[in-house]
Amino acid sequence: MLYLGPETRLSSLIIEPTHSLIRQSTHSREREEPLNGDGFGIGWYATDHSTEPAVFRSITPAWNNRNLQNLARVVASDCVLAHVRAATQSSGVNEANCHPFRWRQYLCMHNGDVGDFRAVRRKLLASVCDEAFGNVYGSTDSEHFFALFIDSLLGSDETDPALRMARALARAITRTLELVHSAGHGSASYLNVAIADGDCAVVSRFTDDADGVPESLYYFTGELYPIVQAKGRPRVERGQPVTVSSERLTADPGWTEVPAGQIIILRRDRAPAFIDARTGEMRSAPAAARKAS
Amino acid sequence: MLYLGPETRLSSLIIEPTHSLIRQSTHSREREEPLNGDGFGIGWYATDHSTEPAVFRSITPAWNNRNLQNLARVVASDCVLAHVRAATQSSGVNEANCHPFRWRQYLCMHNGDVGDFRAVRRKLLASVCDEAFGNVYGSTDSEHFFALFIDSLLGSDETDPALRMARALARAITRTLELVHSAGHGSASYLNVAIADGDCAVVSRFTDDADGVPESLYYFTGELYPIVQAKGRPRVERGQPVTVSSERLTADPGWTEVPAGQIIILRRDRAPAFIDARTGEMRSAPAAARKAS
Amino acid sequence: MLYLGPETRLSSLIIEPTHSLIRQSTHSREREEPLNGDGFGIGWYATDHSTEPAVFRSITPAWNNRNLQNLARVVASDCVLAHVRAATQSSGVNEANCHPFRWRQYLCMHNGDVGDFRAVRRKLLASVCDEAFGNVYGSTDSEHFFALFIDSLLGSDETDPALRMARALARAITRTLELVHSAGHGSASYLNVAIADGDCAVVSRFTDDADGVPESLYYFTGELYPIVQAKGRPRVERGQPVTVSSERLTADPGWTEVPAGQIIILRRDRAPAFIDARTGEMRSAPAAARKAS
Amino acid sequence: MLYLGPETRLSSLIIEPTHSLIRQSTHSREREEPLNGDGFGIGWYATDHSTEPAVFRSITPAWNNRNLQNLARVVASDCVLAHVRAATQSSGVNEANCHPFRWRQYLCMHNGDVGDFRAVRRKLLASVCDEAFGNVYGSTDSEHFFALFIDSLLGSDETDPALRMARALARAITRTLELVHSAGHGSASYLNVAIADGDCAVVSRFTDDADGVPESLYYFTGELYPIVQAKGRPRVERGQPVTVSSERLTADPGWTEVPAGQIIILRRDRAPAFIDARTGEMRSAPAAARKAS
C-alpha cells in the first residue's frame, strides 16, 4: 500500500483499517495463497523532506512485530509505503530482499514476478549502468526490476518529476518484457510496481499473461484516516489524499480499480492521472478519477 | 543516553557525536570491557505527546543495524532514550531483555546490576503489586528493578510529576538494597537508572559498593545538536536542552559528572535539580548545575 | 511432534512427510486458525546421550528458515521434538518463548493454554521450588507449566524414570487446575504437553473444558521414516519407533488418537502405555496400542 | 577455522579452546580491530557424508548465540568450518552474507578483501559461467570470489579431488588479481580462503600487498580435542587430524604458520602439502609439516 496526502500516523494506515496490511499478512483475499509471512517493510518521508526517506524492514512476519506496532503508533508522515512479503522459493528471506528498496529519494516495492527471472537476471544486470547495478544488494526479481527503473530514469530527459518517474516505469516494464523474451522461456511477468519520491508517486498494474488479468490494485481518493494536525501550524490544503493498495483496506465504496495495463500518477495538487504501462502515453482521465477530484 | 529538549533528529543524538552511542557499542571507554554488543534499544515520544512512546529494540548490535540508521536519520523527537547492552551471562539476548522498558508513558533503562539478582528475584517479584508484576516480560535485573519503581510510583502521593518520579526511584533503590540484604549474599548493586515520561526525566547514579564509586554518568546543559525547526512554527523557548549519558558524547568541556549517590531531575523549564538517591531529600543545586542554567 | 526410535534424519521427521510440521506451520488442519507462524523450535539428543539435548529455536517462521532446512538434512537423532508456534496476544515472540523448553536432560513442549494465565501466573510461581522458578526465562503459560512439572518431578519418589515423568505430568495438570480454580476466572485449560528425557517420553491430551474435547493428538507405532544405519554398527533392535503428533503426518491408516484425558507413555523397549491425566492411574493398554506392538 | 580429522564435538572446536572462535569474536589478537561481531556461520558434514553439508548462519554475534552453544554441545563431525565476521561498510549484515558459503558439497569461507571490489564486481560476474553466477545470493566480495572458484573448478580437468580444489583456488586467486588490475584502482587483495568438500580441504594465505604480509594463518597437526568414539565402532586410523585457523586456538607450541603465498592441502590420509597460491605449483613439504606428520 502507498499513501500520499497530509501527515497521518502510520498506524492509521497499516494497522487500524479493517483489512489492514497487518490483516493481509495472514488473510489476504485476492491471492490464491492468503499468507504474506516472509517479512515486511515500511518506508516513509520526514515531514520536511530534508533527508532521504527511512526504511524499516524485517524478516519476521508483520503481524507479530512489536517494533512495527510501536513505530506505527508514534510516527507520522505525508508519504508512506508498506509491504508484506510472500517470498518465492528461489530467493532467501533476509532484509536485503524485503521491500521497499531505496535509491536516493526513491522508494520502490513490487507485487508479482519477473518471468523466468533466474534465466533473465544476468542479461538484465549487464544492461544497466553502474549506478543502477551498484544498488542491487539482494537476489529478488523486484530489486533487479528497480535497477531497470533507475537506469531508465537516469537516461530520461523528461523534466516533470512525476512524468519522468511514470515514463521510466513504463520503460522498465518494456525492457523487462524484452529481456524475458530474449533470455527467458516464455513465462509471463506480473508487474504491479509502486515508486515514490515523497512528493509524487507512480504505480503500475500490468501483466503480459495471455489472460490479461494482472494482480489486483485499487486506489482511493479522499480522507480515510485521521490527519495529524501540528499545533499552531495552518493546515495546508493541497488536494486530496490518495491511497493505493493491492487490496481494499476498508469497506468504503469509494475504492476504484486501477485499470489493467495502466500506470497511475499521484501528485499532491491534482487528481490521479494515468498513462499506458507500455507506451507511456497519457490516457484521458477516467471517470472514476474525475469524480474523485 | 537520555535527551530532553527541543525537537532534534535521533541521528544527531546517537550517531553523529564523536563518541556516540554507536561508537560506545564497540569502544566504550569507562568500562572494563569496551563492548556493548548484545542488542540495543531506543525510545522516543511523539512531538505532540498524544500517544505512548515508541520503543525500537533489537538483539543485533547497534553498530551494524540498518533500520536504526534509517530511523535515526528521519525521526525527530523532544525526548529520547537510547541504550546499548552488554548482557550478563545469566540473562538471554532477546528483545524482551533489551532496554528501554516501557510502562504506560514511562520509559526506563539501566546501567549496572542488582546484587545477587538470581537469589533476590523471587522475593522482589513477591513484593510488588499485580500491575507492576504483570509488566515483567523478560529475565533481566533491570526490568525487575523497573517493577519496583512502578510499584513505588503507584504507592506515592506526591503530586509534582518530576518529584514523584524521583522519589519513586529513590524508594526503588532503597527497596532493592533491602531485598539484596535479606535474600542475597552481600554483593553490591550498581543502579544507574534513567526514567522519563516525555515531559521530565530522572536519572540516578548510585552504588552501595564498599569503594563507593558508581558507574560513570555525565550531563550537559545546552545545545549540542541541530534543532529541527518546523516550518512556520514559532520556536518554543522552554529552557535549555539537557543530555545525560554514561560517557561524554563530545569533547565539549561543559560535561559535568552527576554526583555519586544522587538523582538528577530534568524538567523542560528549569535547571537540573538533585535529590539524594536513598533518602529522596532535595539537595541544594550544585555549582556546576548553577553555572549551566 | 515427538519421535522416539532408532536414529533417523530430522528432515525425515519434520520436512518430508506429506503433512509435515513445516506444512502445518502454514496449513494446520485441526485448528480453527491454520497458521503457526510465530517461530518454532526443535530439540534432539546426541546419539550417545552423553550430553544435555540441543535446542534450536527461532522467532522466524519454520517454513522459510534455511538454517532449519540445513540442520534437518544433516542431523540424525533417536529422540526428537519439534514445535511450530501460534503465539497468544499476551506473550511476545522471542526465543525465550519458543518451545521446546529445556531443564537438565528434559525437553518440554505444549499445545494449548493455561486458563486465565495472566491471573494465575503469580500464584503459580509462588508455588514452585527455587530450582523450578529459576528455570523460567520467558512469559508463556507453557514454560510456567513446565516449572510445575519440574517441581512435581523433584518432589516425586517414584523410581521408574518413565512413570516418574508421567506422574509428575499428571500432578502438574492437577496443580494447574487447582491454581486456575483459586486464582482464575473459570476459563478452561488445554494441556497437550510432551516431555522427553531422551530414553522415554510422556505426552498428555487433556482439557477441563465443559465439552470435554481436547486439542487433537495422534500416535503411530512403527517405521514411518528411513532409519540411519551407521556403517559397521549392528542394528539395535529395541522395540518399534513411535511418533506422536498434533496432526497425522502421513495418510497412513495406522495413526491412532490418544484418548482424551490420558497420558501416553513411550519407552524404547515396549508398547505405549497410558495413565489417567488427573489421577495418574495406569490404564489397561487400549486395543490400538496392543495391535501396534 | 577449519577442522579435518576424526569425529569431534563442535564445542571442542569452537567453544572450549582458550582462544576459541567465540573468544576471537570479541578479542581477536592478530587484527587491528579485535571485534568480529557481524554475525557468524558454521558448516559441517554428516558422519556418513551421504548428504550435502549443513550450514548454520546468523546475523547475531557468536558470543551470545544460544542456538550455537546448543548445537555445538551436541553435534559432532569429522569436517567442520567456522567463521566469525567483521563486515566491511559496503555490504549489509544478513544471512546471505555470512560465511561459510555452500555450493554442492563444497563450503567456502574467506578472511580478507578483494581489492576495489565495488569496481570489480560487474566484470567478475560477467566472467563466470551461469552455474557459478547463479550461486551468488548476497553482496560480499567473498561470495563473489567463491563464484570464481566454482567457475575455475568446473573448467578444470584435474582428476585428484584435493589437487583439483587447490588448483582451482590458485586459478581463482590469479583471476581475481587480473580483474582488480583491469577494473580496479590499484588496491591490494587479501585472500585467505578455506574450501572443503568433506574429504579434503585447501586453504590459501595470500596477499599482493606491497609489503607482502597476508592475514595470519596457522595449522596444527595432531589431536587437540577429545575424539567422539562411537560405541562398538572400531576407531578408524586415517592419519592425524589437522586444524587450520586465523589465530592459534591454544597455547600449544605445535601451531605452525602457513607460509605466505601458499595454499595448504589437507587430506585425511597424509601430511599437509603446499602449492604456490599463484602458479599452483607443488612445493616440497616444508620442515614444519614434515615434523608434524
Side-chain angles (χ1 to χ4, degrees), chain C residues 44-71:
Chain C
W44 74 95
Y45 292 78
T47 308
D48 59 5
H49 291 222
S50 63
T51 175
E52 290 175 345
V55 177
F56 171 66
R57 305 190 288 187
S58 171
I59 59 169
T60 62
W63 68 76
N64 67 27
N65 194 289
R66 295 262 163 120
N67 285 326
L68 176 61
Q69 284 160 14
N70 269 292
L71 262 173

PDB file of all heavy atoms in Angstrom, chain C residues 44-71:
ATOM      1  N   TRP C  44      16.755 -32.156  20.190  1.00  0.00           N
ATOM      2  CA  TRP C  44      17.154 -33.538  19.895  1.00  0.00           C
ATOM      3  C   TRP C  44      18.332 -33.947  20.769  1.00  0.00           C
ATOM      4  O   TRP C  44      19.016 -33.100  21.321  1.00  0.00           O
ATOM      5  CB  TRP C  44      17.475 -33.710  18.410  1.00  0.00           C
ATOM      6  CG  TRP C  44      18.776 -33.101  17.974  1.00  0.00           C
ATOM      7  CD1 TRP C  44      19.983 -33.724  17.855  1.00  0.00           C
ATOM      8  CD2 TRP C  44      19.004 -31.727  17.590  1.00  0.00           C
ATOM      9  NE1 TRP C  44      20.943 -32.829  17.427  1.00  0.00           N
ATOM     10  CE2 TRP C  44      20.378 -31.614  17.256  1.00  0.00           C
ATOM     11  CE3 TRP C  44      18.189 -30.584  17.503  1.00  0.00           C
ATOM     12  CZ2 TRP C  44      20.958 -30.397  16.851  1.00  0.00           C
ATOM     13  CZ3 TRP C  44      18.765 -29.380  17.104  1.00  0.00           C
ATOM     14  CH2 TRP C  44      20.118 -29.305  16.780  1.00  0.00           C
ATOM     15  N   TYR C  45      18.512 -35.263  20.854  1.00  0.00           N
ATOM     16  CA  TYR C  45      19.542 -35.817  21.733  1.00  0.00           C
ATOM     17  C   TYR C  45      20.707 -36.337  20.909  1.00  0.00           C
ATOM     18  O   TYR C  45      20.527 -36.875  19.819  1.00  0.00           O
ATOM     19  CB  TYR C  45      18.945 -36.946  22.580  1.00  0.00           C
ATOM     20  CG  TYR C  45      17.939 -36.421  23.587  1.00  0.00           C
ATOM     21  CD1 TYR C  45      16.645 -36.085  23.184  1.00  0.00           C
ATOM     22  CD2 TYR C  45      18.293 -36.227  24.919  1.00  0.00           C
ATOM     23  CE1 TYR C  45      15.733 -35.569  24.098  1.00  0.00           C
ATOM     24  CE2 TYR C  45      17.374 -35.711  25.838  1.00  0.00           C
ATOM     25  CZ  TYR C  45      16.099 -35.383  25.424  1.00  0.00           C
ATOM     26  OH  TYR C  45      15.202 -34.854  26.319  1.00  0.00           O
ATOM     27  N   ALA C  46      21.916 -36.177  21.460  1.00  0.00           N
ATOM     28  CA  ALA C  46      23.084 -36.772  20.832  1.00  0.00           C
ATOM     29  C   ALA C  46      22.937 -38.285  20.854  1.00  0.00           C
ATOM     30  O   ALA C  46      22.348 -38.848  21.773  1.00  0.00           O
ATOM     31  CB  ALA C  46      24.350 -36.359  21.584  1.00  0.00           C
ATOM     32  N   THR C  47      23.465 -38.929  19.830  1.00  0.00           N
ATOM     33  CA  THR C  47      23.307 -40.377  19.693  1.00  0.00           C
ATOM     34  C   THR C  47      23.753 -41.109  20.945  1.00  0.00           C
ATOM     35  O   THR C  47      23.118 -42.067  21.373  1.00  0.00           O
ATOM     36  CB  THR C  47      24.157 -40.867  18.491  1.00  0.00           C
ATOM     37  OG1 THR C  47      23.805 -40.067  17.387  1.00  0.00           O
ATOM     38  CG2 THR C  47      23.886 -42.322  18.213  1.00  0.00           C
ATOM     39  N   ASP C  48      24.832 -40.674  21.536  1.00  0.00           N
ATOM     40  CA  ASP C  48      25.333 -41.397  22.705  1.00  0.00           C
ATOM     41  C   ASP C  48      24.749 -40.852  24.011  1.00  0.00           C
ATOM     42  O   ASP C  48      25.114 -41.305  25.089  1.00  0.00           O
ATOM     43  CB  ASP C  48      26.857 -41.368  22.735  1.00  0.00           C
ATOM     44  CG  ASP C  48      27.389 -39.939  22.770  1.00  0.00           C
ATOM     45  OD1 ASP C  48      26.588 -38.981  22.860  1.00  0.00           O
ATOM     46  OD2 ASP C  48      28.615 -39.768  22.721  1.00  0.00           O
ATOM     47  N   HIS C  49      23.856 -39.904  23.948  1.00  0.00           N
ATOM     48  CA  HIS C  49      23.179 -39.341  25.125  1.00  0.00           C
ATOM     49  C   HIS C  49      24.180 -38.903  26.195  1.00  0.00           C
ATOM     50  O   HIS C  49      23.870 -38.906  27.379  1.00  0.00           O
ATOM     51  CB  HIS C  49      22.181 -40.342  25.725  1.00  0.00           C
ATOM     52  CG  HIS C  49      20.987 -40.581  24.854  1.00  0.00           C
ATOM     53  ND1 HIS C  49      19.713 -40.673  25.321  1.00  0.00           N
ATOM     54  CD2 HIS C  49      20.894 -40.719  23.510  1.00  0.00           C
ATOM     55  CE1 HIS C  49      18.874 -40.887  24.314  1.00  0.00           C
ATOM     56  NE2 HIS C  49      19.576 -40.913  23.205  1.00  0.00           N
ATOM     57  N   SER C  50      25.382 -38.515  25.770  1.00  0.00           N
ATOM     58  CA  SER C  50      26.417 -38.177  26.736  1.00  0.00           C
ATOM     59  C   SER C  50      26.308 -36.731  27.213  1.00  0.00           C
ATOM     60  O   SER C  50      27.043 -36.306  28.072  1.00  0.00           O
ATOM     61  CB  SER C  50      27.794 -38.378  26.094  1.00  0.00           C
ATOM     62  OG  SER C  50      27.931 -37.482  25.003  1.00  0.00           O
ATOM     63  N   THR C  51      25.404 -35.989  26.647  1.00  0.00           N
ATOM     64  CA  THR C  51      25.322 -34.576  26.975  1.00  0.00           C
ATOM     65  C   THR C  51      23.872 -34.141  26.951  1.00  0.00           C
ATOM     66  O   THR C  51      23.008 -34.846  26.435  1.00  0.00           O
ATOM     67  CB  THR C  51      26.156 -33.756  25.955  1.00  0.00           C
ATOM     68  OG1 THR C  51      25.967 -32.370  26.223  1.00  0.00           O
ATOM     69  CG2 THR C  51      25.724 -34.029  24.534  1.00  0.00           C
ATOM     70  N   GLU C  52      23.585 -32.979  27.520  1.00  0.00           N
ATOM     71  CA  GLU C  52      22.215 -32.486  27.505  1.00  0.00           C
ATOM     72  C   GLU C  52      21.756 -32.222  26.074  1.00  0.00           C
ATOM     73  O   GLU C  52      22.566 -31.944  25.201  1.00  0.00           O
ATOM     74  CB  GLU C  52      22.133 -31.201  28.339  1.00  0.00           C
ATOM     75  CG  GLU C  52      22.318 -31.519  29.825  1.00  0.00           C
ATOM     76  CD  GLU C  52      22.376 -30.269  30.683  1.00  0.00           C
ATOM     77  OE1 GLU C  52      22.564 -29.171  30.128  1.00  0.00           O
ATOM     78  OE2 GLU C  52      22.235 -30.396  31.907  1.00  0.00           O
ATOM     79  N   PRO C  53      20.474 -32.329  25.820  1.00  0.00           N
ATOM     80  CA  PRO C  53      19.994 -32.233  24.442  1.00  0.00           C
ATOM     81  C   PRO C  53      20.185 -30.841  23.854  1.00  0.00           C
ATOM     82  O   PRO C  53      20.313 -29.853  24.573  1.00  0.00           O
ATOM     83  CB  PRO C  53      18.501 -32.568  24.565  1.00  0.00           C
ATOM     84  CG  PRO C  53      18.138 -32.203  25.965  1.00  0.00           C
ATOM     85  CD  PRO C  53      19.359 -32.524  26.791  1.00  0.00           C
ATOM     86  N   ALA C  54      20.212 -30.777  22.537  1.00  0.00           N
ATOM     87  CA  ALA C  54      20.295 -29.499  21.827  1.00  0.00           C
ATOM     88  C   ALA C  54      18.900 -28.931  21.641  1.00  0.00           C
ATOM     89  O   ALA C  54      17.930 -29.664  21.497  1.00  0.00           O
ATOM     90  CB  ALA C  54      20.942 -29.707  20.469  1.00  0.00           C
ATOM     91  N   VAL C  55      18.810 -27.617  21.662  1.00  0.00           N
ATOM     92  CA  VAL C  55      17.574 -26.938  21.316  1.00  0.00           C
ATOM     93  C   VAL C  55      17.924 -25.872  20.282  1.00  0.00           C
ATOM     94  O   VAL C  55      18.877 -25.119  20.462  1.00  0.00           O
ATOM     95  CB  VAL C  55      16.923 -26.272  22.542  1.00  0.00           C
ATOM     96  CG1 VAL C  55      15.686 -25.504  22.136  1.00  0.00           C
ATOM     97  CG2 VAL C  55      16.558 -27.310  23.590  1.00  0.00           C
ATOM     98  N   PHE C  56      17.202 -25.843  19.192  1.00  0.00           N
ATOM     99  CA  PHE C  56      17.381 -24.804  18.181  1.00  0.00           C
ATOM    100  C   PHE C  56      16.032 -24.121  18.007  1.00  0.00           C
ATOM    101  O   PHE C  56      15.056 -24.739  17.609  1.00  0.00           O
ATOM    102  CB  PHE C  56      17.859 -25.414  16.860  1.00  0.00           C
ATOM    103  CG  PHE C  56      17.856 -24.437  15.722  1.00  0.00           C
ATOM    104  CD1 PHE C  56      18.708 -23.353  15.733  1.00  0.00           C
ATOM    105  CD2 PHE C  56      17.005 -24.604  14.643  1.00  0.00           C
ATOM    106  CE1 PHE C  56      18.702 -22.430  14.679  1.00  0.00           C
ATOM    107  CE2 PHE C  56      16.989 -23.688  13.593  1.00  0.00           C
ATOM    108  CZ  PHE C  56      17.840 -22.602  13.622  1.00  0.00           C
ATOM    109  N   ARG C  57      15.966 -22.837  18.366  1.00  0.00           N
ATOM    110  CA  ARG C  57      14.703 -22.101  18.346  1.00  0.00           C
ATOM    111  C   ARG C  57      14.871 -20.821  17.543  1.00  0.00           C
ATOM    112  O   ARG C  57      15.950 -20.237  17.501  1.00  0.00           O
ATOM    113  CB  ARG C  57      14.287 -21.753  19.777  1.00  0.00           C
ATOM    114  CG  ARG C  57      14.219 -22.981  20.665  1.00  0.00           C
ATOM    115  CD  ARG C  57      13.577 -22.689  22.002  1.00  0.00           C
ATOM    116  NE  ARG C  57      14.430 -21.901  22.880  1.00  0.00           N
ATOM    117  CZ  ARG C  57      14.126 -21.633  24.155  1.00  0.00           C
ATOM    118  NH1 ARG C  57      12.996 -22.094  24.674  1.00  0.00           N
ATOM    119  NH2 ARG C  57      14.941 -20.914  24.895  1.00  0.00           N
ATOM    120  N   SER C  58      13.783 -20.393  16.934  1.00  0.00           N
ATOM    121  CA  SER C  58      13.856 -19.181  16.128  1.00  0.00           C
ATOM    122  C   SER C  58      12.530 -18.464  16.136  1.00  0.00           C
ATOM    123  O   SER C  58      11.472 -19.087  16.221  1.00  0.00           O
ATOM    124  CB  SER C  58      14.246 -19.531  14.694  1.00  0.00           C
ATOM    125  OG  SER C  58      14.119 -18.396  13.867  1.00  0.00           O
ATOM    126  N   ILE C  59      12.590 -17.135  16.043  1.00  0.00           N
ATOM    127  CA  ILE C  59      11.351 -16.357  16.007  1.00  0.00           C
ATOM    128  C   ILE C  59      10.825 -16.196  14.592  1.00  0.00           C
ATOM    129  O   ILE C  59       9.748 -15.665  14.386  1.00  0.00           O
ATOM    130  CB  ILE C  59      11.541 -14.959  16.624  1.00  0.00           C
ATOM    131  CG1 ILE C  59      12.627 -14.181  15.888  1.00  0.00           C
ATOM    132  CG2 ILE C  59      11.904 -15.087  18.096  1.00  0.00           C
ATOM    133  CD1 ILE C  59      12.670 -12.723  16.276  1.00  0.00           C
ATOM    134  N   THR C  60      11.556 -16.656  13.594  1.00  0.00           N
ATOM    135  CA  THR C  60      11.031 -16.583  12.229  1.00  0.00           C
ATOM    136  C   THR C  60      10.234 -17.850  11.951  1.00  0.00           C
ATOM    137  O   THR C  60      10.410 -18.860  12.616  1.00  0.00           O
ATOM    138  CB  THR C  60      12.161 -16.419  11.200  1.00  0.00           C
ATOM    139  OG1 THR C  60      13.013 -17.550  11.259  1.00  0.00           O
ATOM    140  CG2 THR C  60      12.966 -15.162  11.483  1.00  0.00           C
ATOM    141  N   PRO C  61       9.336 -17.811  10.967  1.00  0.00           N
ATOM    142  CA  PRO C  61       8.505 -18.986  10.715  1.00  0.00           C
ATOM    143  C   PRO C  61       9.328 -20.192  10.252  1.00  0.00           C
ATOM    144  O   PRO C  61      10.376 -20.037   9.615  1.00  0.00           O
ATOM    145  CB  PRO C  61       7.580 -18.513   9.583  1.00  0.00           C
ATOM    146  CG  PRO C  61       7.585 -17.023   9.642  1.00  0.00           C
ATOM    147  CD  PRO C  61       8.960 -16.663  10.112  1.00  0.00           C
ATOM    148  N   ALA C  62       8.819 -21.382  10.556  1.00  0.00           N
ATOM    149  CA  ALA C  62       9.527 -22.613  10.190  1.00  0.00           C
ATOM    150  C   ALA C  62       9.631 -22.781   8.675  1.00  0.00           C
ATOM    151  O   ALA C  62      10.605 -23.311   8.160  1.00  0.00           O
ATOM    152  CB  ALA C  62       8.808 -23.815  10.795  1.00  0.00           C
ATOM    153  N   TRP C  63       8.620 -22.299   7.950  1.00  0.00           N
ATOM    154  CA  TRP C  63       8.558 -22.624   6.520  1.00  0.00           C
ATOM    155  C   TRP C  63       9.646 -21.984   5.691  1.00  0.00           C
ATOM    156  O   TRP C  63       9.951 -22.453   4.604  1.00  0.00           O
ATOM    157  CB  TRP C  63       7.188 -22.290   5.944  1.00  0.00           C
ATOM    158  CG  TRP C  63       6.867 -20.823   5.888  1.00  0.00           C
ATOM    159  CD1 TRP C  63       7.348 -19.916   4.987  1.00  0.00           C
ATOM    160  CD2 TRP C  63       6.000 -20.101   6.773  1.00  0.00           C
ATOM    161  NE1 TRP C  63       6.831 -18.668   5.272  1.00  0.00           N
ATOM    162  CE2 TRP C  63       6.003 -18.756   6.343  1.00  0.00           C
ATOM    163  CE3 TRP C  63       5.226 -20.459   7.865  1.00  0.00           C
ATOM    164  CZ2 TRP C  63       5.256 -17.776   7.000  1.00  0.00           C
ATOM    165  CZ3 TRP C  63       4.490 -19.489   8.496  1.00  0.00           C
ATOM    166  CH2 TRP C  63       4.510 -18.170   8.064  1.00  0.00           C
ATOM    167  N   ASN C  64      10.240 -20.908   6.164  1.00  0.00           N
ATOM    168  CA  ASN C  64      11.247 -20.261   5.319  1.00  0.00           C
ATOM    169  C   ASN C  64      12.619 -20.205   5.981  1.00  0.00           C
ATOM    170  O   ASN C  64      13.473 -19.436   5.542  1.00  0.00           O
ATOM    171  CB  ASN C  64      10.787 -18.861   4.895  1.00  0.00           C
ATOM    172  CG  ASN C  64      10.718 -17.886   6.079  1.00  0.00           C
ATOM    173  OD1 ASN C  64      11.424 -18.032   7.065  1.00  0.00           O
ATOM    174  ND2 ASN C  64       9.886 -16.876   5.964  1.00  0.00           N
ATOM    175  N   ASN C  65      12.854 -21.032   7.001  1.00  0.00           N
ATOM    176  CA  ASN C  65      14.109 -20.945   7.727  1.00  0.00           C
ATOM    177  C   ASN C  65      15.172 -21.859   7.106  1.00  0.00           C
ATOM    178  O   ASN C  65      15.083 -23.085   7.208  1.00  0.00           O
ATOM    179  CB  ASN C  65      13.878 -21.286   9.192  1.00  0.00           C
ATOM    180  CG  ASN C  65      15.061 -20.887  10.048  1.00  0.00           C
ATOM    181  OD1 ASN C  65      16.114 -21.508   9.974  1.00  0.00           O
ATOM    182  ND2 ASN C  65      14.904 -19.838  10.843  1.00  0.00           N
ATOM    183  N   ARG C  66      16.162 -21.250   6.488  1.00  0.00           N
ATOM    184  CA  ARG C  66      17.217 -22.028   5.823  1.00  0.00           C
ATOM    185  C   ARG C  66      18.044 -22.825   6.815  1.00  0.00           C
ATOM    186  O   ARG C  66      18.498 -23.917   6.525  1.00  0.00           O
ATOM    187  CB  ARG C  66      18.157 -21.082   5.055  1.00  0.00           C
ATOM    188  CG  ARG C  66      17.512 -20.344   3.919  1.00  0.00           C
ATOM    189  CD  ARG C  66      17.795 -21.043   2.593  1.00  0.00           C
ATOM    190  NE  ARG C  66      16.846 -20.568   1.601  1.00  0.00           N
ATOM    191  CZ  ARG C  66      17.172 -19.942   0.461  1.00  0.00           C
ATOM    192  NH1 ARG C  66      18.453 -19.741   0.170  1.00  0.00           N
ATOM    193  NH2 ARG C  66      16.256 -19.552  -0.389  1.00  0.00           N
ATOM    194  N   ASN C  67      18.312 -22.255   7.989  1.00  0.00           N
ATOM    195  CA  ASN C  67      19.089 -22.985   8.983  1.00  0.00           C
ATOM    196  C   ASN C  67      18.379 -24.280   9.377  1.00  0.00           C
ATOM    197  O   ASN C  67      19.016 -25.326   9.519  1.00  0.00           O
ATOM    198  CB  ASN C  67      19.332 -22.124  10.221  1.00  0.00           C
ATOM    199  CG  ASN C  67      20.391 -21.062   9.979  1.00  0.00           C
ATOM    200  OD1 ASN C  67      21.349 -21.277   9.234  1.00  0.00           O
ATOM    201  ND2 ASN C  67      20.227 -19.905  10.611  1.00  0.00           N
ATOM    202  N   LEU C  68      17.071 -24.206   9.534  1.00  0.00           N
ATOM    203  CA  LEU C  68      16.308 -25.403   9.882  1.00  0.00           C
ATOM    204  C   LEU C  68      16.428 -26.458   8.784  1.00  0.00           C
ATOM    205  O   LEU C  68      16.662 -27.636   9.054  1.00  0.00           O
ATOM    206  CB  LEU C  68      14.836 -25.031  10.104  1.00  0.00           C
ATOM    207  CG  LEU C  68      13.885 -26.199  10.383  1.00  0.00           C
ATOM    208  CD1 LEU C  68      14.279 -26.939  11.648  1.00  0.00           C
ATOM    209  CD2 LEU C  68      12.439 -25.715  10.490  1.00  0.00           C
ATOM    210  N   GLN C  69      16.294 -26.026   7.543  1.00  0.00           N
ATOM    211  CA  GLN C  69      16.393 -26.984   6.440  1.00  0.00           C
ATOM    212  C   GLN C  69      17.774 -27.620   6.376  1.00  0.00           C
ATOM    213  O   GLN C  69      17.919 -28.815   6.137  1.00  0.00           O
ATOM    214  CB  GLN C  69      16.064 -26.298   5.112  1.00  0.00           C
ATOM    215  CG  GLN C  69      14.558 -26.080   4.940  1.00  0.00           C
ATOM    216  CD  GLN C  69      14.237 -25.017   3.914  1.00  0.00           C
ATOM    217  OE1 GLN C  69      15.094 -24.599   3.139  1.00  0.00           O
ATOM    218  NE2 GLN C  69      12.998 -24.558   3.911  1.00  0.00           N
ATOM    219  N   ASN C  70      18.796 -26.816   6.610  1.00  0.00           N
ATOM    220  CA  ASN C  70      20.167 -27.317   6.595  1.00  0.00           C
ATOM    221  C   ASN C  70      20.419 -28.324   7.704  1.00  0.00           C
ATOM    222  O   ASN C  70      20.940 -29.421   7.473  1.00  0.00           O
ATOM    223  CB  ASN C  70      21.130 -26.141   6.754  1.00  0.00           C
ATOM    224  CG  ASN C  70      21.547 -25.564   5.423  1.00  0.00           C
ATOM    225  OD1 ASN C  70      22.257 -26.234   4.676  1.00  0.00           O
ATOM    226  ND2 ASN C  70      21.102 -24.365   5.112  1.00  0.00           N
ATOM    227  N   LEU C  71      20.075 -27.911   8.907  1.00  0.00           N
ATOM    228  CA  LEU C  71      20.231 -28.776  10.066  1.00  0.00           C
ATOM    229  C   LEU C  71      19.512 -30.104   9.871  1.00  0.00           C
ATOM    230  O   LEU C  71      20.065 -31.173  10.115  1.00  0.00           O
ATOM    231  CB  LEU C  71      19.533 -28.105  11.253  1.00  0.00           C
ATOM    232  CG  LEU C  71      20.358 -27.336  12.211  1.00  0.00           C
ATOM    233  CD1 LEU C  71      19.442 -26.635  13.178  1.00  0.00           C
ATOM    234  CD2 LEU C  71      21.282 -28.291  12.923  1.00  0.00           C
TER     235      LEU C  71
END
